[in-house]
Amino acid sequence: MSGTFVHESEVLFHDAKTFNPDRWLADDSAVLERWLVPFSKGPRMCIGQNLAYCEMYLGFAALFRRFDMSLDGNTGRDLRYRECHLPLFLGKHLTCFCRPVEK
């Protein structure tokens, strides 16, 4: 199962094709947790899922601790992609400016 089929389902998510990270912060977001499937589900799910989560936590923590970041004027329209097993980016990639945190 592709995560795109689940994550873009209007049955499961209100306005599913709109980028809205706040949907995971709403009062009823606990219901959505079972539909977050970035590593697939079932017998063919990613065996490196736990390692990937650990690496993401460490990587994001180091990134946000060491840098102040700002976007380079990207919009949702710039970040279009098509999923063909691996994402194929059709627009420009997300870019941001990073400057070391002043101590």
Side-chain angles (χ1 to χ4, degrees):
M1 166 195 326
S2 171
T4 302
F5 293 130
V6 175
H7 295 151
E8 292 188 358
S9 171
E10 292 287 340
V11 173
L12 303 173
F13 299 101
H14 172 70
D15 205 14
K17 299 212 187 254
T18 302
F19 178 71
N20 180 14
D22 291 336
R23 72 174 45 125
W24 302 100
L25 302 174
D27 293 334
D28 62 345
S29 64
V31 175
L32 298 178
E33 288 294 323
R34 81 181 273 201
W35 301 112
L36 179 62
V37 290
F39 296 100
S40 190
K41 293 275 188 194
R44 297 188 186 271
M45 68 187 287
C46 178
I47 61 173
Q49 175 179 346
N50 294 328
L51 178 61
Y53 275 131
C54 290
E55 291 288 334
M56 284 191 298
Y57 289 135
L58 293 172
F60 281 129
L63 185 69
F64 291 124
R65 186 179 64 234
R66 296 178 185 163
F67 294 99
D68 289 324
M69 292 184 277
S70 61
L71 291 178
D72 182 25
N74 295 91
T75 65
R77 190 167 297 218
D78 296 329
L79 304 175
R80 295 180 309 122
Y81 74 96
R82 179 173 167 232
E83 185 169 324
C84 306
H85 185 67
L86 293 175
L88 168 67
F89 292 95
L90 304 171
K92 73 179 201 177
H93 290 270
L94 177 66
T95 55
C96 69
F97 297 108
C98 297
R99 71 173 190 266
V101 172
E102 296 178 10
K103 293 183 181 185

